Amino acid sequence: MTKKQLAAEVISRLKDEYPEVKCALVYSKPHELLIATRLSAQCTDVRVNKVTPALFERFTSVDKFADAEVSEVEEYIKSCGLFHTKARDIVDMCCVLRDVHGGEVPDSIEELVKLPGVGRKTANLIVGDLYGKPAMVCDTHVIRLTNRLGLSTGTDAAKVEKQLRAIVPPEEGLMLCHRLVWHGRGVCAARNPKCAECVLSGICKAYKSDK
């Protein structure tokens, strides 16, 4: 089985297992997804979703965030970890959104990665979820699972993204990543994966090598 064939089989099985999936971060405005994704670095989506309602109620627009005191933003996001850096990035990115992009979130990876605190993972999520463009969101779950499956090698997110883009149809990339995240949380955990319950075990390189 080639890697493209393996990718196609993984996509098919995960579609059957998780027919309805979406980004786990809760948001109602484009800039809120950008901010929530920044907060999710080294933090769970569950924790972020507990923090953002009060944060977004206090700062209701890009302009409000751009005008905010970093110290006040910090108070709302302390439980997310790395809150000093994240608060500064949030205020700075909203200043750029206001001053350079007219308050709108850019729709290209090239422009998004120019924003403070925004890397390719965040940029891919934004262009995929907000704008429906081809995207490959390589977070820790996606990297771990695609390595185990034999679809990718290494832990460098940019390199894994490039490997996956070469074998995954562009229109399937975003939803594959969402499904891999859900599967990684519920079944293929970093420690003690539930291989006996996994719909991918029969085609998983790591599982076969353990036999």
Side-chain angles (χ1 to χ4, degrees):
M1 186 183 297
T2 67
K3 284 192 175 182
K4 281 190 176 181
Q5 291 171 329
L6 176 58
E9 185 63 24
V10 170
I11 290 168
S12 176
R13 293 189 184 198
L14 290 181
K15 277 184 178 179
D16 289 341
E17 189 73 3
Y18 309 99
E20 299 293 335
V21 295
K22 61 180 181 179
C23 177
L25 295 169
V26 177
Y27 67 96
S28 59
K29 302 173 184 176
H31 73 274
E32 292 180 353
L33 177 59
L34 187 61
I35 290 168
T37 307
R38 179 66 188 96
L39 290 175
S40 70
Q42 298 184 43
C43 180
T44 66
D45 291 347
V46 172
R47 168 56 54 188
V48 173
N49 288 337
K50 289 180 179 178
V51 165
T52 50
L55 179 69
F56 295 153
E57 184 177 355
R58 172 64 182 88
F59 305 103
T60 56
S61 66
V62 169
D63 286 348
K64 293 286 178 63
F65 271 110
D67 291 335
E69 293 290 337
V70 172
S71 59
E72 186 179 0
V73 176
E74 288 176 349
E75 291 300 314
Y76 283 89
I77 67 171
K78 275 186 175 180
S79 64
C80 288
L82 303 174
F83 64 94
H84 293 301
T85 300
K86 291 178 180 180
R88 185 176 64 250
D89 284 344
I90 288 168
V91 173
D92 288 348
M93 75 167 62
C94 286
C95 285
V96 177
L97 292 180
R98 179 192 63 190
D99 299 339
V100 178
H101 299 286
E104 301 296 325
V105 176
D107 64 354
S108 73
I109 290 176
E110 293 72 22
E111 288 301 317
L112 284 162
V113 295
K114 294 177 184 178
L115 297 173
V118 176
R120 289 193 64 87
K121 184 196 84 169
T122 297
N124 270 282
L125 180 63
I126 296 299
V127 299
D129 260 41
L130 290 184
Y131 298 110
K133 294 186 175 184
M136 194 67 69
V137 185
C138 289
D139 73 349
T140 55
H141 293 291
V142 172
I143 293 170
R144 181 178 74 255
L145 268 67
T146 57
N147 269 226
R148 285 177 173 173
L149 288 163
L151 293 174
S152 70
T153 57
T155 57
D156 182 276
K159 291 180 179 178
V160 171
E161 178 189 336
K162 184 176 181 180
Q163 293 171 46
L164 294 178
R165 284 185 181 274
I167 59 175
V168 175
E171 67 276 10
E172 298 285 359
L174 178 68
M175 295 309 297
L176 171 62
C177 290
H178 283 329
R179 291 183 172 106
L180 286 169
V181 168
W182 283 96
H183 195 64
R185 287 177 179 147
V187 179
C188 193
R191 297 180 181 180
N192 302 316
K194 302 172 185 176
C195 297
E197 302 173 19
C198 182
V199 297
L200 302 176
S201 59
I203 55 173
C204 178
K205 179 180 178 181
Y207 179 72
K208 290 178 180 178
S209 67
D210 287 340
K211 293 299 180 182

